[in-house]
Amino acid sequence: MTIKTANLGFPRIGRHRELKFALESYWSGKTDRAALLDVATRLRADNWRLQQQKGTDVIPSNDFSFYDHVLDTAVMVGAIPRAYGWKSGPVDLDTYFAMGRGSQGDSHANCGHSRHGDGVPALEMTKWFDTNYHYMVPEVSDGQDFTLTSQKPVDHFFEAKALGIATRPVILGPVTFLKLAKARPATFKPLDLLPKLLPIYEELLRRLSAARADWVQIDEPVAVLDLTEGERHAFSVAYKVLAKTVPNLKIMLATYFGGLADNLAAIADLPVAGLHVDLVRAPDQLDEALKVARKDLVLSLGVIDGRNIWRVDLSAIIDRLEPIAAARDIEVGPSCSLLHVPIDLELETGLDADLQSWLAFATQKLDELSILGRGLTQGKDAVRAELSAASKTTAARASSPKVNDPLVQGHIAGVNDAMKRRKSAFAERRAIQSEAIRLPPFPTTTIGSFPQTPEVRKARSDHAKGALSYMDYEAFLRKETEAAIRWQEEIGLDVLVHGEFERNDMVQYFGEQLSGFAFTQHAWVQSYGSRYVRPPIIFGDVSRPNPMTVRWWQYSQSLTDKPVKGMLTGPVTILNWSFVRDDIPRSETCRQIALAIRDEVVDLEKAGASMIQIDEAALREGLPLRHKDWKTYLDWAVECFRLCASGVADRTQIHTHMCYSEFNNIIGAIAAMDADVISIETSRSKMELLDAFRNYKYPNEIGPGVYDIHSPRVPEVKEMTDLLSLARQRLADDQLWVNPDCGLKTRKWEEVRPALVNMVAAARELRSTLAHDDQRIAGA
Ligand code: GLN
Ligand code: ZN
């Protein structure tokens, strides 16, 4: 029986973020196309050589992308909306980037008027399954014709071959491509286009075969989603065709991010040569897969976590795989592409030595794979030392006092139901709050952050480098904060914020002050395009040694008589934007964070805060891929929010904020959070999102965003009063707050100033109509 180690994809960004710098320099016109291509060629070569050197048997190619692999696929098959001006033939790099990030044309982006000139907006962007990677949503039209505009997978295969490295090209499968695509107009299902798309894939497979590729990896992650009969049927249609196209080119159908579950039988039945299953997310599907898989189907077993950064106990994995390897051909690999983990742990110099020994990034995962491969082919004795080292570190981690904090575990055990409930119901709290906090109708506020100007960022980095003393940095932040408070008073906002100038990031800022969190220097992961993030690593029980935000709140409140909101990031968001522990359930870590935030909420109240906002920007993002798992997730997510928000008296007003827009199917959970006020993103949807709140008869107060902060445009007063009228058609006047869609940290003051002045004017206009109504009533 043959046993091979196989990688599904390697991070494309470069150890030192070379791709980001090359792209941004190209975009700004500092370097030319040749320079960009050159960096890309070098990155690919480095990655292939690294995998070769690590002894990976099956090395992927075409996992590289300048921006996004879904966009690559759209471009490759000619799914290029008319607006981008492509007619036929090869698609040039600038058209590709226009689809990824929009093009400015000749207009000035910041002139404050709506787009004009030849600029084209980017395609829509959305999250890649439940990862923090974002892909460009392909658009297909009803008359869509597909054509093969490039043969990048073939080119890259040759490029590796020229280096003496045989690779397995990776392509995104046709069913996943169409299922992720958007129909324009929305009068048909993209999947209906499958018969038109398949010939393009056939042509590509023929070319790969002519190039003498013996295998191709076709990614079909949608196979782990809830599928309709029709969608399952699409798989069978597609792979009947593709498997026949070139019989000597074997297809490894890769599924990941979850178990195949009810799709397993149908997928395992496809006439492909290999099937990859994710055994990290769904370890239990192995038995079932073994049962249904044809004897000659090469099973690729995803046993190394492609989504997380922990070293594993390799010995246990070998024990599990040995009997399987004796009975059939297998590959062992990561659960999914390694795109979602940082590249190399060796770059980290500042981590705690124990923690460092518990981690494995992409490069280290290749080592783990190689040990697994050798252990399975040559027997455990051949890798005795490596296995015992791995077992030793996993055992050390499990029992480490750095991980286990009995105090935290005691607090968790002490959580009771009363701690998850505000003292009184909303109606009573509301009456008490409106006595305590005198606000006009349609109160105005903002979401928290003000522009992170170049000066703010420079001061922070100077301070981090030691070039700016603590005292000077503090003085600088105080000055910024004071100016922000003064300015908010001046323009007449009702509820003020301190501006978040002291924060680098809404999660990192808290993580750095909590126990159980670690931060890296170089562990970047692609979020989208040239944007990379360094997620915190939660390695141990979480607690809050000291108050985190009270000092800044106190300072800001001391400057004004208007209420200043305390500003916190919620437990679910902190969890969802971090690498989490794999030794306890996510819900458990979330509960620990919730208790820590709860302490902060209580301390803010003690300090005198009458309003505290707890942002849950990423609550919806955490939704499981399968519908049947939603309730469990939402139950504990909501419980954690309530746990952190319920330590205060009725008079204290709890706000929350959520960025995204799709509330319809989670509105019950949003209501169950029982925040006194929620602010949401609604301006671009013309308030249609409020329908969910209206239909649900959502009782608490809401600030539907009236100002789209994603655009440099300054909205006119009338646009905002129009939006507010739409909101008033859906919600009661006394429910409504007036605020922007989200925080303003990415905007410039030149944009924010006039926009908020207009926003305040819009609220005042509304109030004056109310006053008229009152007079009318009084006079009648
Ligand atoms: N308070 C945060 C801010 O204004 C909220 C941001 C968010 O939810 N993304 O920046
Ligand atoms: Zn937001």
Side-chain angles (χ1 to χ4, degrees):
M1 299 289 113
T2 52
I3 301 160
K4 284 185 180 163
T5 55
N7 188 18
L8 266 51
F10 198 79
R12 46 183 82 126
I13 63 179
R15 283 164 65 84
H16 301 286
R17 291 183 287 161
E18 289 89 339
L19 185 57
K20 175 191 183 71
F21 301 124
L23 284 170
E24 289 174 357
S25 151
Y26 173 73
W27 291 335
S28 71
K30 276 197 216 103
T31 45
D32 62 6
R33 193 184 130 89
L36 175 62
L37 297 185
D38 193 47
V39 170
T41 311
R42 255 183 297 139
L43 285 173
R44 290 192 291 265
D46 287 351
N47 287 352
W48 288 324
R49 288 208 181 96
L50 176 76
Q51 293 172 86
Q52 185 184 47
Q53 181 203 327
K54 295 288 182 190
T56 311
D57 297 323
V58 180
I59 298 173
S61 57
N62 197 45
D63 50 345
F64 177 84
S65 171
F66 275 116
Y67 203 88
D68 160 41
H69 53 275
V70 182
L71 178 59
D72 291 359
T73 312
V75 166
M76 184 179 74
V77 303
I80 303 164
R82 213 168 281 134
Y84 298 98
W86 171 83
K87 296 268 152 43
S88 63
V91 180
D92 67 74
L93 207 51
D94 292 329
T95 304
Y96 170 85
F97 286 134
M99 292 171 74
R101 47 199 299 272
S103 71
Q104 224 71 84
D106 295 326
S107 65
H108 306 281
N110 296 334
C111 66
H113 299 286
S114 52
R115 274 179 190 285
H116 55 81
D118 302 312
V120 198
L123 290 176
E124 238 175 72
M125 183 169 75
T126 195
K127 273 166 64 78
W128 175 241
F129 296 83
D130 58 354
T131 72
N132 283 326
Y133 176 84
H134 301 71
Y135 70 92
M136 306 311 302
V137 180
E139 271 180 30
V140 289
S141 63
D142 41 3
Q144 184 73 49
D145 281 318
F146 296 105
T147 149
L148 194 62
T149 73
S150 99
Q151 52 163 19
K152 172 174 167 268
V154 181
D155 299 342
H156 288 186
F157 176 78
F158 277 128
E159 199 178 295
K161 201 169 185 179
L163 300 171
I165 302 174
T167 58
R168 182 169 72 185
V170 185
I171 57 179
L172 184 64
V175 181
T176 295
F177 176 76
L178 289 176
K179 183 149 161 75
L180 299 183
K182 198 166 175 167
R184 288 226 193 234
T187 49
F188 67 105
K189 287 209 178 61
L191 214 45
D192 297 344
L193 297 171
L194 187 63
K196 284 175 108 175
L197 179 60
L198 284 177
I200 312 305
Y201 274 82
E202 287 182 89
E203 175 61 23
L204 179 63
L205 295 191
R206 275 194 287 271
R207 292 196 199 180
L208 282 171
S209 168
R212 303 205 175 249
D214 49 0
W215 279 88
V216 58
Q217 173 188 325
I218 307 190
D219 284 358
E220 289 284 12
V222 300
V224 309
L225 303 180
D226 294 319
L227 296 181
T228 61
E229 253 334 294
E231 288 165 341
R232 267 188 222 148
H233 182 63
F235 268 103
S236 109
V237 169
Y239 287 89
K240 252 182 216 144
V241 170
L242 297 184
K244 269 210 316 259
T245 308
V246 259
N248 59 348
L249 177 61
K250 298 192 186 111
I251 296 173
M252 170 59 71
L253 185 85
T255 70
Y256 43 81
F257 298 150
L260 289 163
D262 51 344
N263 302 326
L264 177 62
I267 298 291
D269 200 36
L270 298 174
V272 290
L275 174 65
H276 175 85
V277 287
D278 181 340
L279 296 181
V280 173
R281 281 289 176 88
D284 297 342
Q285 70 174 334
L286 179 55
D287 294 339
E288 204 47 41
L290 288 170
K291 244 184 262 160
V292 299
R294 298 186 322 264
K295 193 76 189 47
D296 64 333
L297 185 74
V298 177
L299 273 184
S300 165
L301 308 175
V303 288
I304 298 287
D305 197 343
R307 299 281 300 273
N308 214 333
I309 38 82
W310 303 105
R311 261 180 95 169
V312 280
D313 186 0
L314 296 166
S315 198
I317 297 179
I318 294 186
D319 290 344
R320 185 159 186 230
L321 298 193
E322 247 172 358
I324 304 166
R328 62 188 306 144
D329 291 344
I330 61 164
E331 290 181 3
V332 285
S335 56
C336 59
S337 164
L338 297 175
L339 176 67
H340 309 288
V341 292
I343 295 186
D344 191 358
L345 183 63
E346 296 285 303
L347 294 173
E348 298 303 321
T349 52
L351 287 177
D352 172 81
D354 285 338
L355 175 60
Q356 181 117 7
S357 74
W358 303 335
L359 300 174
F361 293 174
T363 306
Q364 289 68 40
K365 285 172 191 284
L366 295 176
D367 288 326
E368 292 188 312
L369 269 188
S370 139
I371 299 167
L372 281 181
R374 279 180 288 143
L376 284 167
T377 46
Q378 303 162 25
K380 273 175 118 177
D381 275 338
V383 285
R384 185 63 56 204
E386 289 89 337
L387 295 186
S388 92
S391 303
K392 232 183 260 161
T393 49
T394 45
R397 179 180 155 216
S399 63
S400 168
K402 292 175 185 167
V403 172
N404 303 289
D405 182 343
L407 226 57
V408 173
Q409 291 162 11
H411 286 158
I412 291 287
V415 170
N416 57 39
D417 282 350
M419 290 168 73
K420 301 176 201 159
R421 261 196 321 263
R422 297 291 299 271
K423 298 190 177 52
S424 310
F426 173 70
E428 288 158 65
R429 299 198 306 266
R430 183 187 213 182
I432 299 172
Q433 287 164 19
S434 62
E435 272 304 304
I437 318 163
R438 290 277 168 188
L439 290 173
F442 309 111
T444 52
T445 189
T446 61
I447 307 304
S449 57
F450 278 127
Q452 289 265 326
T453 57
E455 298 78 62
V456 172
R457 278 181 275 131
K458 180 168 187 314
R460 181 180 311 125
S461 82
D462 282 352
H463 173 57
K465 281 187 285 204
L468 185 67
S469 74
Y470 176 77
M471 295 291 278
D472 289 344
Y473 182 49
E474 281 280 309
F476 169 83
L477 292 175
R478 279 175 174 252
K479 208 177 73 235
E480 291 292 310
T481 309
E482 174 167 14
I485 295 278
R486 293 280 165 259
W487 180 75
Q488 292 172 83
E489 280 187 317
E490 215 172 279
I491 69 161
L493 281 156
D494 302 306
V495 173
L496 313 193
V497 297
H498 77 286
E500 303 182 24
F501 302 108
E502 79 289 8
R503 302 187 186 177
N504 37 16
D505 169 270
M506 64 186 286
V507 168
Q508 189 178 349
Y509 182 75
F510 291 93
E512 281 173 347
Q513 302 186 70
L514 292 167
S515 306
F517 280 74
F519 290 84
T520 58
Q521 291 164 295
H522 305 284
W524 297 98
V525 181
Q526 187 178 18
S527 171
Y528 66 91
S530 67
R531 288 289 204 98
Y532 311 157
V533 294
R534 266 178 315 183
I537 297 172
I538 307 180
F539 64 88
D541 288 336
V542 176
S543 62
R544 185 201 69 146
N546 294 298
M548 303 183 283
T549 64
V550 175
R551 210 166 49 88
W552 281 109
W553 178 82
Q554 267 170 328
Y555 171 66
S556 323
Q557 188 65 81
S558 76
L559 302 168
T560 177
D561 294 332
K562 295 261 178 88
V564 179
K565 285 190 278 193
M567 193 59 64
L568 305 172
T569 303
V572 188
T573 299
I574 294 179
L575 181 87
N576 283 342
W577 286 348
S578 302
F579 283 119
V580 295
R581 293 168 64 171
D582 60 354
D583 55 341
I584 60 172
R586 297 167 71 80
S587 55
E588 190 66 17
T589 299
C590 196
R591 217 163 275 131
Q592 295 178 355
I593 305 171
L595 278 185
I597 301 291
R598 177 184 173 98
D599 291 346
E600 185 72 13
V601 171
V602 169
D603 280 346
L604 279 168
E605 180 187 62
K606 269 192 213 144
S610 56
M611 299 175 171
I612 300 164
Q613 179 173 312
I614 308 168
D615 294 324
E616 281 294 19
L619 188 128
R620 193 180 201 288
E621 286 187 26
L623 277 178
L625 294 174
R626 292 283 195 154
H627 218 277
K628 69 163 179 35
D629 302 323
W630 279 27
K631 185 174 178 323
T632 311
Y633 166 77
L634 287 172
D635 281 353
W636 63 252
V638 168
E639 179 202 310
C640 287
F641 181 85
R642 293 175 64 124
L643 182 57
C644 83
S646 300
V648 289
D650 286 341
R651 75 181 131 75
T652 302
Q653 191 170 63
I654 297 289
H655 292 227
T656 190
H657 165 73
M658 292 185 187
C659 302
Y660 42 80
S661 12
E662 185 48 69
F663 285 97
N664 279 302
N665 43 18
I666 57 165
I667 185 74
I670 303 295
M673 289 167 70
D674 196 25
D676 297 303
V677 185
I678 181 172
S679 61
I680 57 174
E681 181 178 326
T682 38
S683 72
R684 278 182 296 185
S685 83
K686 306 244 177 304
M687 300 285 152
E688 273 165 23
L689 298 165
L690 290 181
D691 289 342
F693 290 82
R694 177 187 56 189
N695 298 338
Y696 189 83
K697 302 203 170 50
Y698 182 84
N700 302 15
E701 296 180 15
I702 308 181
V706 292
Y707 154 27
D708 175 10
I709 62 95
H710 300 92
S711 151
R713 249 185 98 250
V714 174
E716 308 286 338
V717 179
K718 167 108 176 21
E719 287 171 54
M720 295 194 263
T721 49
D722 285 351
L723 284 174
L724 285 164
S725 319
L726 292 174
R728 292 175 74 184
Q729 290 167 14
R730 295 170 166 93
L731 297 165
D733 285 350
D734 63 359
Q735 269 183 299
L736 282 172
W737 285 64
V738 178
N739 49 254
D741 267 341
C742 192
L744 299 162
K745 64 171 168 242
T746 57
R747 296 266 61 92
K748 300 195 169 86
W749 274 112
E750 302 87 88
E751 299 150 7
V752 166
R753 281 200 192 97
L756 290 184
V757 165
N758 288 353
M759 189 186 85
V760 170
R764 287 188 175 147
E765 215 171 294
L766 239 60
R767 282 172 207 160
S768 72
T769 63
L770 274 190
H772 287 308
D773 291 350
D774 288 350
Q775 276 162 19
R776 260 205 322 264
I777 295 163

